[in-house]
Amino acid sequence: MRRLTALLFMFMSALGLSLLFTQQVFAVPETVTVKQAYLLDGENQTEVNELQVAPGATFEPATDPGEGYEFAYYVVNGLISDKAEGEAFTVGSYLNLVAVYTPVDKFAVVFVDVNGEIIQHNNKLAQYVSSGEDAVAPTVLPTKKNYKVSETDPW
């Protein structure tokens, strides 16, 4: 009986200690950073001031880049999003939002890897081409363990 009592005491002590430290290990930050930028064409990117918001907050992006541009898509934390222009985002631990717009007579072209991440070309998220024009494929391709990208026909 004493052995059972001692064992129960040790179990309850370990459980109490784990609960005591759990709050610190899984503590949620009070605020997280939201970055927003407009990518208007191959040369113009406008960054909006960073915001600090509570995790789980709803963030509504700015939607007016100026005359002569049309919304193409959002890049959210490096991935292309299918959200509509101005649609709200729920902020997790971080939000880096790039709203990609195109000049009225151009198309934005991006190359995406198998993980859904954008492959930058000349340090740019998108290329802008006119109707009938070809985009230039990125020359620096991503690597993936146990996967070889064809050098002659990567696409």
Side-chain angles (χ1 to χ4, degrees):
M1 184 65 146
R2 292 174 76 189
R3 189 178 278 174
L4 183 59
T5 304
L7 200 60
L8 184 60
F9 176 76
M10 288 173 51
F11 174 76
M12 294 302 287
S13 297
L15 181 62
L17 283 173
S18 68
L19 290 175
L20 178 69
F21 291 109
T22 300
Q23 185 177 11
Q24 294 174 356
V25 172
F26 296 107
V28 177
E30 290 182 22
T31 62
V32 294
T33 302
V34 173
K35 291 183 177 182
Q36 183 181 3
Y38 292 119
L39 184 62
L40 301 176
D41 54 42
E43 305 302 320
N44 297 316
Q45 180 166 328
T46 303
E47 294 193 18
V48 180
N49 291 337
E50 287 185 13
L51 298 173
Q52 296 296 316
V53 300
T58 300
F59 175 74
E60 293 183 19
T63 58
D64 185 18
E67 294 273 332
Y69 294 98
E70 295 176 342
F71 177 76
Y73 54 87
Y74 287 115
V75 178
V76 182
N77 297 336
L79 302 175
I80 294 178
S81 170
D82 60 355
K83 287 197 178 232
E85 180 181 21
E87 191 173 338
F89 290 85
T90 301
V91 181
S93 58
Y94 179 75
L95 179 61
N96 185 3
L97 181 66
V98 178
V100 178
Y101 287 82
T102 62
V104 174
D105 59 342
K106 300 270 185 177
F107 297 93
V109 178
V110 294
F111 291 87
V112 181
D113 71 11
V114 295
N115 298 319
E117 294 191 29
I118 295 172
I119 302 170
Q120 291 192 10
H121 180 67
N122 294 334
N123 294 321
K124 295 183 180 162
L125 292 173
Q127 296 177 50
Y128 293 87
V129 297
S130 296
S131 181
E133 233 181 354
D134 291 331
V136 178
T139 53
V140 179
L141 299 176
T143 59
K144 186 173 181 179
K145 186 176 181 179
N146 298 326
Y147 185 79
K148 177 149 175 55
V149 176
S150 170
E151 292 178 17
T152 57
D153 188 19
W155 311 108

